[in-house]
Amino acid sequence: MAALAWLLIPLFAAVGAAIWGSWAARNRTTGDVTELAGYAKFRDAMEKSHSGSGAL
């Protein structure tokens, strides 16, 4: 029975490593689209506020 326990420990470690690896490599680009759109709006707003002033 003790030998079976020693064989199950690496098995559980491998399963845990596979779960962690799949979680770490997940696709996280879903929020980038809204962030990039917000940055584009910010950039446009900054260009508009500086383009009409004329004085340095």
Side-chain angles (χ1 to χ4, degrees):
M1 190 66 175
L4 181 61
W6 280 107
L7 291 174
L8 289 177
I9 291 171
L11 178 67
F12 287 138
V15 169
I19 291 171
W20 179 83
S22 64
W23 178 78
R26 71 190 186 280
N27 189 1
R28 291 180 266 179
T29 59
T30 56
D32 289 344
V33 175
T34 56
E35 291 176 11
L36 289 175
Y39 178 68
K41 289 179 185 177
F42 171 74
R43 212 175 45 212
D44 290 340
M46 291 303 289
E47 287 176 1
K48 288 178 184 176
S49 67
H50 289 297
S51 63
S53 63
L56 293 175

